[in-house]
Amino acid sequence: HLREDPAGEGDEFNPVLGINNYQFMVAPAGTGASPHFHYTSARLMVHGSARWFFWPPSQAFYSSESVLDWYRRDYPDLRGPERPMECVQGPGDLMFVPPHWGHGVLYLESTAGMASLFRA
């Protein structure tokens, strides 16, 4: 059982996860989310696939361009520690992003999924 806890009243008998944002996504290939960071999130892929890019908190950053433009212009020049860790998320995969980790997502095909931001 999960519930919001704005007053911070959770305890060992009434746990609180602090979910405060729900998202449902339907998106075409070539779209996604530019590199950014925030607190903890989880994303479930229902249909399609996505390429994920991850940076540890000390290297996290925000990009103001579309993820496809970032991928075409900036990604090829990344070297060494600037180069992200990567993986591909497919249908049924749940992606967990720890707090403050930089990440970007490029949808490789039409996708559908669900996500939530929360404080764990």
Side-chain angles (χ1 to χ4, degrees):
H1 173 71
L2 304 175
R3 66 179 177 87
E4 293 187 32
D5 186 33
E9 299 169 353
D11 59 38
E12 64 184 305
F13 302 107
N14 194 10
V16 174
L17 189 58
I19 292 177
N20 67 355
N21 180 293
Y22 304 95
Q23 302 170 8
F24 178 74
M25 296 103 43
V26 176
T31 63
S34 300
H36 64 285
F37 60 94
H38 45 67
Y39 45 89
T40 310
S41 67
R43 182 178 296 207
L44 175 66
M45 184 69 72
V46 176
H47 171 80
S49 61
R51 185 172 179 179
W52 283 75
F53 309 93
F54 293 99
W55 295 266
S58 64
Q59 295 169 313
F61 64 97
Y62 281 90
S63 174
S64 61
E65 58 189 331
S66 76
V67 68
L68 189 56
D69 287 344
W70 171 84
Y71 181 74
R72 289 178 174 161
R73 292 182 204 163
D74 300 335
Y75 176 82
D77 296 327
L78 299 177
R79 302 282 182 261
E82 294 178 337
R83 191 92 175 160
M85 293 174 268
E86 300 181 36
C87 66
V88 173
Q89 180 185 24
D93 291 342
L94 177 66
M95 189 64 66
F96 174 81
V97 181
H100 310 295
W101 271 74
H103 56 284
V105 183
L106 177 61
Y107 298 132
L108 303 175
E109 56 189 310
S110 294
T111 63
M114 297 168 280
S116 182
L117 300 174
F118 55 93
R119 292 195 168 102

